[in-house]
Amino acid sequence: MITLLKKYYPYVLIALMNPVIGFLFQRSNKVIYTPTDVLVFAALCYWASTFIRNKYNLLLARFWISFFFLGVLNINSVIVYDTTFYVNIHDASILYFLNLIVFIIALISFESKNKTVISVKRANDFHLNHPVFYFVMLVFPVLFIISLYKAVGFLPILSGDNFVDEMYNYDYGALYGFKFICVYSFLLTVYFFKLKKFRLLNIIFAFFILFISSVDGKRFILFICLLAFIPFNDYLKKLLSPQQKTSYVPIIMISAAIVVIYISMLAIRLGNNNVDEWLGIFIEKIPFGVEYKDFVYSYEKFSDTTVKDYDFFLSNLGAFFNSGILNFFGFDKEALTHMGSAYVWMNAYNIEFGIRTGIISELYFAYGSWGVLAMIPLAYFINKTSLKLTQPCAVFELIQHAILYALYILIINGQATVFFGCLSMMLYVYFFKLLVNGIFKSERFGLYRYPGVQSNQLYYKVPEEPRKSGYS
């Protein structure tokens, strides 16, 4: 009975979507229900995902499927107060799941070519060879917060005032462009904590880094830290306890943390200090799925003329490459990045803030229905990253791929320009590590080896993962 329940409850939840919407929005004069054929398509995508074998691919695919339902709930919560967004969601939703089904089938195909036996490194071989590089990564958050405070004069998140209108206009200091490095700092503290090095100090520093990453009121870096933690922590646990099965607990905890942080950050940015009202903010205007709402609205209301200045390729080119390189080839970085979806949609909405509509929307407005084909190479690179997360060769490689995995998860509701901008920052960090390794190549530091595992421990072979319908 329990086995049957675990197997079929997702389909029951999908079938109950419209009754749930009707119950939640009883007092609304206008309610948008999910068309039956869209629900069937959603169930088909979920069924297809049960054939995904890599747990990281599965987690990502399930999140992308769930994002649709969050989007529909968000649309209904918004039209209670603003009927501007009362639109037909059918065609946009069909396009969304068409992209997902192509993506999932491509994932399954690429997985079939993966190796089924994975070698887990010995714990005493999985250490930091060059602590100079990692020392710089750990010191950066402290330098960053000092630089920001000197530039702004206060910490916005602690101001107690509504700073939404000003948060994108502050001069945050010289180090603000490198804020992404805080993700590396956070994962390193997790590494030292898991390997029992100054555990109390590291857990305090980890929370300090999370605070720093959100001090400007923006949540992106904070979410990258939390999402990258899932595969990073999972491998470290497997490294130290090879026989222990992967647990649901970290995923549940991270999901709960993201919900709490999302609501809290929204309330703090609005200057709302009444904790009792924070839950009301969540119930009355669901904060998740905003990007799906904007995707549906764009699909229904916008045309090539409306977003005529949008250029997917050039904007991402501008986001990835350094301004000096672009200038050498006759391009202006700022002009290219302003061709990105956030800026173009901001003008289309006639507002002062960037609009995120997600990768599916961006590909559709760039290439029409042919944009769905881009899901195939995207699936290829995501599968490569998920595979690397199961068999990294070093701490730095694990960190890099954990961060990249987090970026892939968020691309469904984010901006491609942000993705490629972060990718370039990861490349700079990689080059910096090569530089440090070159300078200190004559030294081999074994300062952070885990002493609890003997050097003669055999490699542990992970058996082929069975096909399952859930994260295991």
Side-chain angles (χ1 to χ4, degrees):
M1 183 65 181
I2 295 177
T3 303
L4 289 175
L5 184 63
K6 289 176 64 177
K7 184 176 181 179
Y8 293 109
Y9 84 88
Y11 303 102
V12 174
L13 292 178
I14 292 173
L16 291 176
M17 180 63 182
N18 285 332
V20 169
I21 291 174
F23 173 77
L24 291 176
F25 303 101
Q26 298 178 53
R27 65 189 183 89
S28 177
N29 294 324
K30 293 181 179 293
V31 178
I32 295 179
Y33 292 102
T34 309
T36 302
D37 57 341
V38 174
L39 290 177
V40 171
F41 217 158
L44 179 63
C45 280
Y46 184 87
W47 173 78
S49 73
T50 62
F51 293 92
I52 297 175
R53 299 169 64 183
N54 185 295
K55 56 189 173 185
Y56 302 121
N57 286 338
L58 181 62
L59 178 62
L60 183 143
R62 295 282 171 83
F63 174 78
W64 286 13
I65 294 171
S66 301
F67 181 67
F68 162 77
F69 297 99
L70 294 174
V72 174
L73 291 175
N74 178 269
I75 293 172
N76 278 287
S77 72
V78 170
I79 63 176
V80 171
Y81 304 97
D82 185 0
T83 56
T84 301
F85 291 95
Y86 186 74
V87 294
N88 186 347
I89 70 169
H90 178 270
D91 293 348
S93 299
I94 291 294
L95 175 66
Y96 183 82
F97 282 114
L98 176 62
N99 277 265
L100 287 197
I101 197 68
V102 170
F103 171 77
I104 291 171
I105 292 173
L107 265 186
I108 296 170
S109 175
F110 292 130
E111 277 191 352
S112 66
K113 300 175 176 61
N114 291 347
K115 295 179 180 179
T116 57
V117 179
I118 301 168
S119 296
V120 177
K121 296 282 291 184
R122 293 178 296 186
N124 63 330
D125 284 343
F126 203 76
H127 61 276
L128 308 178
N129 289 332
H130 295 286
V132 174
F133 168 78
Y134 296 102
F135 175 77
V136 174
M137 295 293 105
L138 290 172
V139 168
F140 175 81
V142 178
L143 299 178
F144 171 78
I145 194 67
I146 293 173
S147 173
L148 185 146
Y149 184 80
K150 284 186 175 181
V152 181
F154 63 95
L155 301 181
I157 199 173
L158 299 180
S159 66
D161 298 323
N162 183 339
F163 61 94
V164 172
D165 294 335
E166 294 83 18
M167 62 187 292
Y168 293 97
N169 298 320
Y170 287 133
D171 177 9
Y172 289 107
L175 294 181
Y176 188 71
F178 302 94
K179 179 186 173 185
F180 190 75
I181 293 176
C182 287
V183 183
Y184 290 86
S185 309
F186 173 75
L187 293 180
L188 281 173
T189 62
V190 173
Y191 172 83
F192 291 126
F193 175 80
K194 296 295 292 186
L195 271 68
K196 300 180 180 179
K197 293 289 183 180
F198 312 107
R199 299 194 70 170
L200 179 60
L201 179 62
N202 277 291
I203 195 169
I204 293 173
F205 193 53
F207 281 106
F208 175 65
I209 294 171
L210 293 179
F211 167 76
I212 289 174
S213 66
S214 57
V215 73
D216 57 354
K218 301 174 186 178
R219 299 162 294 212
F220 178 73
I221 300 298
L222 181 63
F223 288 164
I224 292 296
C225 288
L226 295 176
L227 291 172
F229 170 84
I230 294 174
F232 187 73
N233 174 71
D234 185 40
Y235 188 84
L236 291 182
K237 287 178 66 177
K238 185 187 299 180
L239 191 71
L240 301 175
S241 303
Q243 304 300 332
Q244 185 176 350
K245 293 183 179 180
T246 302
S247 172
Y248 286 93
V249 175
I251 297 177
I252 296 172
M253 291 179 64
I254 293 299
S255 300
I258 288 176
V259 171
V260 173
I261 291 169
Y262 208 103
I263 299 170
S264 303
M265 289 288 290
L266 176 62
I268 291 171
R269 288 191 334 194
L270 295 173
N272 189 334
N273 295 319
N274 188 343
V275 178
D276 294 334
E277 295 180 7
W278 290 8
L279 186 59
I281 292 175
F282 174 74
I283 295 174
E284 294 178 4
K285 194 172 182 179
I286 297 172
F288 305 102
V290 177
E291 298 82 3
Y292 191 83
K293 175 203 69 180
D294 289 322
F295 159 55
V296 172
Y297 182 83
S298 300
Y299 185 93
E300 288 295 314
K301 301 294 184 180
F302 293 171
S303 64
D304 293 341
T305 304
T306 311
V307 294
K308 62 181 183 303
D309 296 325
Y310 175 57
D311 193 304
F312 180 84
F313 177 76
L314 288 179
S315 61
N316 291 315
L317 193 72
F320 181 77
F321 286 103
N322 178 274
S323 58
I325 296 175
L326 291 172
N327 289 336
F328 178 80
F329 288 100
F331 293 103
D332 181 86
K333 184 177 180 69
E334 185 175 355
L336 291 181
T337 53
H338 275 74
M339 294 180 182
S341 62
Y343 291 101
V344 175
W345 262 251
M346 176 181 71
N347 295 330
Y349 272 74
N350 194 27
I351 59 175
E352 297 180 357
F353 302 106
I355 297 293
R356 296 187 300 269
T357 58
I359 186 64
I360 291 175
S361 172
E362 291 185 328
L363 291 172
Y364 171 75
F365 279 96
Y367 308 112
S369 299
W370 291 104
V372 69
L373 297 179
M375 290 291 109
I376 298 174
L378 183 60
Y380 173 81
F381 289 112
I382 288 175
N383 178 63
K384 283 290 185 181
T385 298
S386 297
L387 185 62
K388 281 290 185 180
L389 287 172
T390 62
Q391 47 187 358
C393 297
V395 179
F396 181 74
E397 184 178 276
L398 177 60
I399 290 175
Q400 285 282 74
H401 286 97
I403 295 172
L404 185 56
Y405 178 74
L407 290 172
Y408 279 131
I409 289 180
L410 292 180
I411 201 173
I412 195 65
N413 66 330
Q415 303 161 226
T417 50
V418 172
F419 174 85
F420 283 101
C422 293
L423 207 59
S424 67
M425 185 59 64
M426 294 176 66
L427 192 62
Y428 295 152
V429 172
Y430 173 73
F431 287 147
F432 177 66
K433 183 177 184 296
L434 289 182
L435 176 64
V436 173
N437 287 358
I439 295 173
F440 297 95
K441 62 183 178 181
S442 61
E443 299 182 48
R444 292 283 296 178
F445 297 96
L447 301 179
Y448 305 114
R449 296 181 181 179
Y450 178 64
V453 181
Q454 299 301 317
S455 59
N456 60 354
Q457 180 179 350
L458 296 177
Y459 282 76
Y460 172 71
K461 298 290 185 181
V462 179
E464 179 178 348
E465 295 184 17
R467 299 179 184 269
K468 292 185 179 180
S469 60
Y471 184 92
S472 60

